Amino acid sequence: MNNTPQIYKEALTHPIFEIVTQAAESLQVDCYVIGGFVRDFLLQRDTKKDIDIVAVGSGIELALEVSKLIPNQPKVQVFKNYGTAMLRYDDIDIEFVGARKESYHFDSRKPVVEDGTLEDDQNRRDFTINALALSLNKTNFGTLVDPFNGVTDLHNKIIRTPLDPDITYSDDPLRMMRAIRFATQLDFMIEEESLSSITKNAHRLEIISGERIVDELNKILLAQTPSKGFLLLYKTGLLDLILPELTALNQVEEIEGHTHKNNFYHSLEVVDNICKNTEDLWLRWSALLHDIGKAPTKRFSKKQGWTFHGHEFLGGKMVKRIFTRLHMPLNQKMKFVQKMVTMSSRPIVLSQKEVTDSAVRRLVFDAGENVEDLMILCEADITTKNPNKFKKYHNNFKIVREKIVEVEERDHIRNFQPPISGEEIMEIFNLTPCREIGTLKETIKEAILEGVIPNEYDAAYNFMLAKAKKMGLEVVNK
């Protein structure tokens, strides 16, 4: 116990804590609420997500006893292999675990677990701010147990490991990602010795699964300022192991007085920009990866200077490789990111010239239901420090947005469906499936997008008849 215990009973006003105290007294075991709940209470953050209870004894038995004392006796999920149990009460997930001490094999982050004391359990915690515990015992209810001065670290905004950081990070390398994630979410600093240890142990990340790594990356991306986390990942060498396609952008070359911008720092700035306007995780991923095709497509010529021709198309293909390697979802989420990366320059190019109706129709046609997401991405992509250019780009984007609304109201291009279907073309000209059907459909679509005809059935029908006549097709069924 601390020599000068503090009482934090105001953290424990929820009825569940009194129930746990009653159950623990019945079983004659000591128990404590530990970890994130205590940390977030002291930081005055939301503590209603989940609660971790550690029992100096069996966490499973305590969970079962707690369930008996709750009127509807919620179901207890038991995980015997881990010695843990969980139940849900008042929309809160409550996890129970027996106090334990751990030892690790070098090639695995799965520990060998033994029963232990509260002190053992706090020693195994990742950071001092997550080792804080509040007593739920009747004799000293609400007493803070803080053996590593975690409260001081909270006050000083420091991420620090309870024990030697080399041991902490080598034992469970995922803690390196967690350190950076907490530093990003809480806007804390990682203590210097701990930061150096992450750099030293970065290679240990190889034993961590892609799913675990991505889970931490997602939390960093969902923070208010993700660039802080990605700069720490870069500084420690972790990012080069996770996303070498991104770190490859961190270079600036000069040939004959011509330079190009640093697309790595630009990408991080775009991510921070987009976070001001969306909480969509996959749109934030799109911002992070929107320029990854620039490193492999970079070329220099005396006539044009530095170019990155086709970087959007290549970047879209690289997205799938990244998602596959990191075991990320290869579903509509990946396809959305691919689409955003592939189209990321379209509105920017459009905003640099006169905005024609046909160009806007094509943009809306290609982006479909994601046209607003694309516009948010492209506006975030404006990172120029020249105030005149910045204002000009944003004014032009405003014009593009107005054109999109105008064209969409008139031509209904979003989620475009051709006015005349392939089946109808087959019936009109008495055709079996053939190339001519596709040719007619494509011609009608192009005529609508170019503004030659409106997106209406009669106009499309007459246009089709004229085109079919030139192709030597005759109407059989009018």
Side-chain angles (χ1 to χ4, degrees), residues 203-250:
H203 65 282
R204 294 281 290 141
L205 200 68
E206 65 190 18
I207 70 169
I208 304 299
S209 69
E211 291 91 343
R212 295 272 186 177
I213 290 170
V214 168
D215 186 47
E216 295 300 327
L217 285 179
N218 287 346
K219 290 173 182 175
I220 291 170
L221 272 173
L222 288 171
Q224 189 172 351
T225 312
S227 64
K228 176 166 184 172
F230 282 97
L231 288 171
L232 285 169
L233 288 171
Y234 178 74
K235 181 179 180 180
T236 55
L238 291 173
L239 192 59
D240 207 32
L241 298 172
I242 302 167
L243 285 171
E245 297 88 349
L246 191 61
T247 59
L249 298 174
N250 190 16

Side-chain angles (χ1 to χ4, degrees), residues 362-393:
R362 288 194 177 278
L363 178 70
V364 175
F365 175 79
D366 291 337
E369 63 183 3
N370 304 124
V371 68
E372 176 59 23
D373 296 318
L374 184 61
M375 292 302 295
I376 291 172
L377 172 60
C378 290
E379 285 175 337
D381 200 7
I382 304 170
T383 60
T384 177
K385 301 301 179 284
N386 182 316
N388 292 328
K389 283 186 178 180
F390 185 88
K391 184 178 179 181
K392 180 183 175 184
Y393 273 122

